[in-house]
Amino acid sequence: MTRWRFPLLFLLTLSAVYLYAYPAATIMYGGGVLVHTGAGIVLALLLIPILRQVFRDCPLEIRFGWLLIAAGTLLGLVLIKIGTPNRFHLWLYLHIALCAAGVLLVATSWLTRRGWLGKGLVGAVTSFAVLTLLMTGSAAGSWWARNIAWKNSNRVVNPHMPTETMDGEGDGPSGKFFPSSAQTRDGKNIPAKYFMQSQACERCHSDIYKQWNSSAHHFSSFNNQWYRKSIEYMQDVAGVKSSKWCAGCHDPALLFSGMFDTPIRQIENTPAAQAGLSCMMCHSIVEVKSTMGQGDFVLEYPKLHELAASENPVMRALHDFVVKVNPEPHRRTFLKPFMREQTAEFCSGCHKVHLDVPVNRYRWVRGFNEYDNWQASGVSGQGARSFYYPANSMMCADCHMPLLPSKDEGNINGFVHSHRFPGANTAVPTANQDPEQLAQSVKFLQDKQVTVDVFGISPAEKEIVHPAASPLANGQELSTTFAVGEEADVTAPQGPKGEARPITAPLGRVNAAVRRGDDYLVDVVVRTRKVGHFFPGGTVDAFDVWLELQATGEKGQILFWSGKVEDEGKGPVEPGAHFYRSQQIDAHGNLINKRNAWSNRAVVYVHLIPPGAADTVHFRMHIPEDAGDKINLHAKLNYRKFMWFNTQFSYAGEEDSTQPKGAATPDYDDRKFAFHGDTSGVAGALKRIPDLPIITVAEDTKSISVLPKRDSAPAPKAIALKEDWMRWNDYGIGLFLQNDFKGAEAAFIKATEADPNNFDGWVNIGRVRTQEGDTAGAFTVLDKALSLKPNLARANYFYARDLKEEGKYDQAIAKLQSVLQQYPRDRVVRNELGRIYFLQKKYSDAAKEFEATLSIDPEDLQAHYNLMLCYNGLGDDAKAEAHKIRYLRYKADESAQAITGPYRQNHPEDNNERQPIHEHLSVALTAPKGAAAAKKSGVAQSNRSSAASPAGTD
């Protein structure tokens, strides 16, 4: 029987190379695994007679070679028993090394005896060298095919040019899944059952399965009442076809099986409608075609999955055995390289969206967008101009899939990434009565993601300065309902010019005092610290996120209250609070408050805080004559997952039959709603309208002294200690982002006084002066920053902008090129460099920079505009026209802002919130109990909030 030893070695060697180099979940590969395993077992059975003959008849090198092979074979038997998951990779590679070394020695002896490469010692050395080179080359090629080629073929790469219209996305209007951009590999449907078998994964990944089972991903579909109502409403008003726009990321079992063609009310209680985003949804994505989101990915149905989920115990056991012995094909099927190495690009497939004519019957509009602001920020490590940078760059999974101890198969060093996907969704676990998931969400929200600082006070003028109207919400040029941060160079409408206010700050460091009978501005700073995208993120038209300030006297009496919640903390938030959200209206000026983003026609305001930035909020407080000797200022950043109206509507919203009937079209909804619908059939464990928890994300309390009215007004006092550098800097950032340049500069100067050796204080003064056009002043402070850190990218960027303003183009180009050496994916820097080349009439060089920008974001508005100009200059009319079409597609419809006029007149609180610089007043503290809306001192009462109002507004 020993004559079979060489054929067995040959078979094992060839199969080993194939299995290592080309792992794939195919029948052929699975057969290869079984052949290799079977041949190894046969060889093990023959080891004793083989070794007996070898040690009797063969030379030393063959004996040693077969000892190595025997050791590798025995280790292989052990691996057949225990498998080869990540934690046993060392044993796997030891098995390979032992067998490879043994085969090398045996093959060398075999070749030497035949004298093909020479005889004697020379022949032996030559044979060994040739076989070693051959084996090394084979190993290197196999490694390249297994790793490099595999990764290169599974990367997220943006197209050179986005489509002219939404009709070019996905499979187009004739596609099964359109207007979602999602596609399947073969263009066919995928059985709904495939997305309903997550429990099959539990056999090997029990911890991950349990985590997912409570997650928001699991409850993304019609097992989520908020989503359920939004699709019912959308189909009632806009039809079934357009609602597929949502289904690509929410309802895979329905969409990809073809069931979503049926009106949802007929199938929303089926098991397929309750599947949510199952394991197979995310892990079956085989290609992400771009970072433009909108479900721009391709799914593939792996036929061998039927073995894993088979009810036949023999087939299921065979599948599990093959996966256990060689899990690499399973891993490659369900864990593509871009899921780990380009996590943010992978997540952008669903966490970045846009609407267009097939969805909203209007035009292209950016919806929520978690990707772009992350990509352009310091958190990603790709943005050159951020205020703050974390110690290490971070991706989505670093926060939302933290490592947890686990003994699941596939764990790495005893850890797996959490599939609870901790985030801010406190509504779903409340409705599901899932206290553990709710606790995890609350813990996440309160984990110092954002901080609040009651920073300072300053005397206020007796008369409130009413801000001038803003022509565009936040001055945005891009058509968007979301905020635009460092991914574009956007300048908001400038606030009133003037001198910086004298301020007493920072509170807690200085002994601050106020005088009875006077008015003061209290400045509170909200800072994003561990947030990698705008705060809040997600569907920001639906949340209640607001800053509350309450001033109390020594005996607990309330002296000031902004951000009060009606109905003893269970009702709507008073309309004059400082909100963080996107306030949108439909074509008739009705509030977008039913998750009806497709009806949005104008944005009233957007308030979001960029990552690593701050917002400075101003409260106007009157010190009453009967105030005690001390006032406590308590600020809280509050979070309620869905606004009060949306929750009421989602659970019990019906057209109010007692009110005149209003019209409802895809463009507007003039109906009035009441909340008395039947809740017995709603999704979730809770069969009533839930009182969603209001989570205090962050809070701060400071105390101030109160002086008699007869005393002189206390003089403002500002001190700058090194320990308070960041507080001054945060305060300045908040003012700067409001375009309060004078106040921001004064704050940043204080920061430099606190720590002259911190270069960021000098850079931030430079930001202000650059924005104001004070190039000489900017050079002075930027030179100081560069003396502290010569290669500081953000200082060089602003320096380049000032050089450009002075016409020193070549020097500006050199500065920008130095920035791009450190941050090659900063779109704004590339656009700035391209613009300077354009001004020099170097149109080809300019076009290269703008094309590079489009490789980062194919929808970059400024790049398309400037490429239109460049190709006009180059005489390429076709390309110029192509970019003109894209520019006009993405550009904001400025005329739509006319819709906001009547709305802002009727809702002065929202008009106030729209202004870059504004103040908040207290609710009327003497209002009768149960009043629908508290009257503001100096601001007209809002007529909003009644259940019998059209879409929540008059």
Side-chain angles (χ1 to χ4, degrees):
M1 294 182 65
T2 58
R3 68 181 183 273
W4 292 101
R5 65 182 186 271
F6 289 115
L8 278 173
L9 280 185
F10 186 71
L11 177 61
L12 285 165
T13 301
L14 284 182
S15 62
V17 172
Y18 167 64
L19 294 178
Y20 181 80
Y22 303 106
T26 62
I27 293 176
M28 179 178 175
Y29 189 89
V33 172
L34 295 176
V35 167
H36 187 80
T37 303
I41 293 173
V42 171
L43 181 61
L45 295 173
L46 296 176
L47 271 180
I48 292 176
I50 289 173
L51 289 175
R52 183 183 299 128
Q53 181 183 353
V54 165
F55 274 83
R56 183 182 66 234
D57 302 330
C58 298
L60 180 63
E61 66 272 13
I62 293 185
R63 295 177 188 178
F64 188 56
W66 272 103
L67 281 176
L68 291 173
I69 292 170
T73 301
L74 293 175
L75 181 54
L77 293 177
V78 173
L79 292 175
I80 291 173
K81 173 65 176 175
I82 65 175
T84 59
N86 282 316
R87 65 184 182 277
F88 295 145
H89 268 191
L90 177 63
W91 299 110
L92 172 63
Y93 284 104
L94 180 59
H95 161 72
I96 294 172
L98 288 170
C99 293
V103 168
L104 176 61
L105 291 176
V106 171
T108 297
S109 179
W110 182 85
L111 197 58
T112 301
R113 290 201 308 273
R114 279 154 181 74
W116 293 347
L117 298 177
K119 296 182 178 180
L121 181 61
V122 173
V125 171
T126 305
S127 297
F128 182 81
V130 169
L131 288 172
T132 299
L133 287 174
L134 182 62
M135 186 171 285
T136 302
S138 176
S142 299
W143 178 86
W144 188 90
R146 180 184 177 94
N147 296 290
I148 306 303
W150 167 247
K151 290 180 179 179
N152 288 344
S153 63
N154 286 277
R155 291 195 59 77
V156 180
V157 179
N158 280 315
H160 295 296
M161 180 77 89
T163 61
E164 288 188 13
T165 68
M166 197 178 206
D167 289 351
E169 298 171 5
D171 290 325
S174 61
K176 297 179 178 181
F177 316 125
F178 187 81
S180 170
S181 295
Q183 298 171 282
T184 58
R185 177 68 85 192
D186 57 6
K188 299 178 181 178
N189 287 343
I190 297 175
K193 187 177 180 181
Y194 174 67
F195 299 101
M196 299 161 57
Q197 296 174 323
S198 294
Q199 201 159 5
C201 304
E202 187 181 15
R203 295 202 302 271
C204 296
H205 307 285
S206 60
D207 289 341
I208 286 175
Y209 174 80
K210 291 172 185 175
Q211 295 157 6
W212 165 84
N213 202 37
S214 291
S215 73
H217 277 193
H218 182 194
F219 295 94
S220 68
S221 192
F222 297 93
N223 48 6
N224 176 332
Q225 182 59 30
W226 288 269
Y227 178 75
R228 179 172 178 159
K229 181 71 172 186
S230 70
I231 299 301
E232 291 174 347
Y233 173 75
M234 184 177 188
Q235 291 193 357
D236 289 346
V237 176
V240 172
K241 177 76 172 178
S242 60
S243 66
K244 290 184 178 181
W245 173 72
C246 309
C249 286
H250 282 267
D251 314 296
L254 298 180
L255 180 69
F256 296 110
S257 67
M259 292 177 65
F260 211 90
D261 292 323
T262 303
I264 201 60
R265 292 182 189 273
Q266 299 177 27
I267 58 172
E268 61 189 6
N269 292 315
T270 63
Q274 306 294 309
L277 284 179
S278 66
C279 308
M280 298 307 168
M281 170 57 188
C282 296
H283 288 284
S284 293
I285 294 175
V286 295
E287 181 185 359
V288 177
K289 298 190 297 178
S290 75
T291 60
M292 291 185 284
Q294 197 58 40
D296 199 14
F297 47 70
V298 179
L299 272 72
E300 184 173 55
Y301 174 52
K303 293 291 289 183
L304 291 184
H305 165 76
E306 295 173 9
L307 293 178
S310 172
E311 296 181 4
N312 184 318
V314 175
M315 299 302 293
R316 193 166 60 238
L318 179 63
H319 168 273
D320 290 354
F321 171 76
V322 172
V323 171
K324 180 181 179 182
V325 171
N326 187 351
E328 186 64 18
H330 178 80
R331 185 176 75 88
R332 292 192 173 211
T333 300
F334 296 114
L335 192 65
K336 297 295 187 287
F338 53 71
M339 297 180 184
R340 283 188 175 274
E341 298 179 9
Q342 293 180 285
T343 307
E345 286 73 17
F346 173 58
C347 296
S348 75
C350 282
H351 292 270
K352 177 181 177 181
V353 301
H354 59 266
L355 300 86
D356 211 331
V357 176
V359 180
N360 62 11
R361 296 169 173 80
Y362 173 43
R363 54 159 298 149
W364 189 94
V365 178
R366 165 70 65 222
F368 80 92
N369 179 3
E370 310 293 30
Y371 176 76
D372 284 346
N373 50 90
W374 167 85
Q375 186 276 323
S377 74
V379 177
S380 71
Q382 300 176 39
R385 300 156 291 108
S386 293
F387 293 107
Y388 291 107
Y389 289 77
N392 299 295
S393 60
M394 302 176 73
M395 295 191 294
C396 312
D398 292 316
C399 294
H400 297 289
M401 297 184 72
L403 290 172
L404 295 177
S406 174
K407 295 181 179 179
D408 278 4
E409 297 297 337
N411 76 78
I412 298 178
N413 299 323
F415 289 89
V416 297
H417 284 282
S418 173
H419 282 62
R420 281 189 185 276
F421 308 104
N425 195 325
T426 55
V428 166
T430 298
N432 290 339
Q433 297 184 323
D434 185 344
E436 184 177 0
Q437 181 72 13
L438 178 59
Q440 291 294 325
S441 298
V442 173
K443 180 181 177 182
F444 180 85
L445 279 167
Q446 295 179 335
D447 189 24
K448 299 180 180 178
Q449 310 287 354
V450 185
T451 57
V452 171
D453 180 13
V454 181
F455 181 76
I457 60 172
S458 57
E461 299 294 332
K462 289 294 183 183
E463 294 295 324
I464 299 175
V465 177
H466 293 283
S470 171
L472 262 182
N474 292 358
Q476 295 166 354
E477 296 180 24
L478 183 75
S479 178
T480 180
T481 62
F482 209 69
V484 175
E486 293 172 275
E487 65 268 29
D489 190 13
V490 177
T491 302
Q494 294 189 4
K497 296 291 184 181
E499 297 302 317
R501 289 184 286 109
I503 186 172
T504 296
L507 298 184
R509 185 71 65 184
V510 297
N511 295 318
V514 295
R515 189 173 62 173
R516 295 186 182 96
D518 290 347
D519 287 355
Y520 291 87
L521 290 183
V522 179
D523 288 345
V524 180
V525 178
V526 182
R527 158 83 187 280
T528 51
R529 292 184 179 271
K530 294 169 61 178
V531 182
H533 46 71
F534 277 109
F535 175 84
T539 52
V540 291
D541 60 302
F543 302 160
D544 269 339
V545 185
W546 73 101
L547 184 65
E548 177 183 354
L549 180 68
Q550 190 177 91
T552 56
E554 293 169 300
K555 297 180 180 180
Q557 69 273 32
I558 298 174
L559 307 177
F560 177 96
W561 198 348
S562 173
K564 181 181 179 180
V565 180
E566 298 173 13
D567 192 19
E568 297 183 352
K570 296 180 179 180
V573 183
E574 58 101 357
H578 186 77
F579 290 98
Y580 294 101
R581 66 185 179 194
S582 173
Q583 191 82 314
Q584 307 162 31
I585 55 176
D586 68 20
H588 281 189
N590 302 302
L591 197 63
I592 300 296
N593 55 9
K594 299 179 285 298
R595 296 298 300 118
N596 51 327
W598 36 272
S599 292
N600 164 61
R601 295 296 179 267
V603 176
V604 179
Y605 67 82
V606 180
H607 274 175
L608 305 175
I609 309 176
D615 181 38
T616 300
V617 187
H618 312 288
F619 297 93
R620 173 179 286 264
M621 180 176 68
H622 178 74
I623 310 302
E625 303 286 351
D626 59 352
D629 295 331
K630 179 181 175 182
I631 293 176
N632 292 316
L633 302 172
H634 185 205
K636 296 194 300 180
L637 180 63
N638 296 317
Y639 182 96
R640 180 162 57 183
K641 172 60 181 175
F642 292 110
M643 67 174 70
W644 178 86
F645 180 97
N646 185 253
T647 295
Q648 303 293 311
F649 174 78
S650 297
Y651 275 76
E654 294 181 333
E655 185 173 2
D656 192 342
S657 59
T658 67
Q659 299 294 326
K661 190 171 182 64
T665 76
D667 298 306
Y668 58 85
D669 189 344
D670 291 336
R671 294 176 295 176
K672 299 177 181 180
F673 289 87
F675 309 129
H676 45 57
D678 180 14
T679 61
S680 62
V682 298
L686 203 62
K687 301 302 179 182
R688 57 175 174 80
I689 302 175
D691 291 322
L692 292 186
I694 295 174
I695 308 302
T696 299
V697 177
E699 59 187 325
D700 186 39
T701 301
K702 296 292 191 306
S703 297
I704 55 177
S705 301
V706 181
L707 302 177
K709 185 175 182 179
R710 62 179 181 275
D711 285 10
S712 300
K717 181 181 181 182
I719 62 175
L721 300 180
K722 188 172 183 178
E723 296 89 336
D724 297 319
W725 176 89
M726 190 172 290
R727 294 182 70 188
W728 278 110
N729 198 52
D730 292 347
Y731 177 62
I733 291 169
L735 297 177
F736 177 77
L737 294 178
Q738 297 170 2
N739 278 11
D740 182 357
F741 297 137
K742 294 298 182 183
E745 181 173 2
F748 292 140
I749 288 173
K750 280 293 182 184
T752 61
E753 293 174 5
D755 187 358
N757 294 320
N758 190 314
F759 44 76
D760 269 322
W762 302 105
V763 171
N764 289 339
I765 299 173
R767 289 178 195 260
V768 174
R769 294 177 180 176
T770 298
Q771 196 70 30
E772 290 183 316
D774 180 6
T775 57
F779 286 141
T780 300
V781 290
L782 293 173
D783 279 330
K784 177 65 176 176
L786 291 170
S787 70
L788 295 169
K789 190 171 183 179
N791 293 322
L792 186 61
R794 43 198 181 276
N796 279 315
Y797 168 74
F798 292 110
Y799 212 111
R801 282 186 52 181
D802 293 315
L803 289 169
K804 171 192 164 188
E805 289 301 309
E806 295 198 348
K808 299 174 182 178
Y809 293 155
D810 289 337
Q811 295 178 51
I813 288 171
K815 290 282 188 183
L816 292 174
Q817 288 175 337
S818 73
V819 175
L820 289 172
Q821 286 177 357
Q822 300 175 62
Y823 298 95
R825 286 176 57 81
D826 189 302
R827 290 155 47 187
V828 171
V829 178
R830 287 215 172 268
N831 283 344
E832 193 72 36
L833 179 57
R835 187 64 185 169
I836 296 175
Y837 281 137
F838 177 83
L839 294 174
Q840 291 182 319
K841 299 186 179 180
K842 297 178 180 178
Y843 301 132
S844 294
D845 291 338
K848 289 179 182 177
E849 295 301 328
F850 296 126
E851 296 285 3
T853 295
L854 293 184
S855 72
I856 302 167
D857 178 21
E859 298 165 321
D860 188 280
L861 184 74
Q862 293 303 319
H864 283 296
Y865 174 77
N866 284 293
L867 281 166
M868 174 185 70
L869 300 181
C870 288
Y871 286 120
N872 274 328
L874 291 168
D876 192 332
D877 293 340
K879 286 187 176 180
E881 180 64 19
H883 288 288
K884 176 183 176 182
I885 290 171
R886 273 76 177 175
Y887 169 69
L888 293 176
R889 182 186 181 197
Y890 303 136
K891 189 180 185 299
D893 177 9
E894 298 178 20
S895 64
Q897 283 297 305
I899 301 173
T900 70
Y903 176 87
R904 289 186 285 125
Q905 287 181 336
N906 292 328
H907 302 91
E909 294 90 351
D910 288 340
N911 184 54
N912 181 60
E913 193 80 340
R914 175 187 173 96
Q915 311 310 317
I917 306 172
H918 60 272
E919 302 168 4
H920 294 273
L921 307 176
S922 176
V923 297
L925 299 175
T926 57
K929 185 176 180 179
K935 185 176 181 180
K936 296 287 201 175
S937 54
V939 178
Q941 180 178 351
S942 169
N943 292 322
R944 217 176 6 173
S945 83
S946 170
S949 299
T953 68
D954 283 350

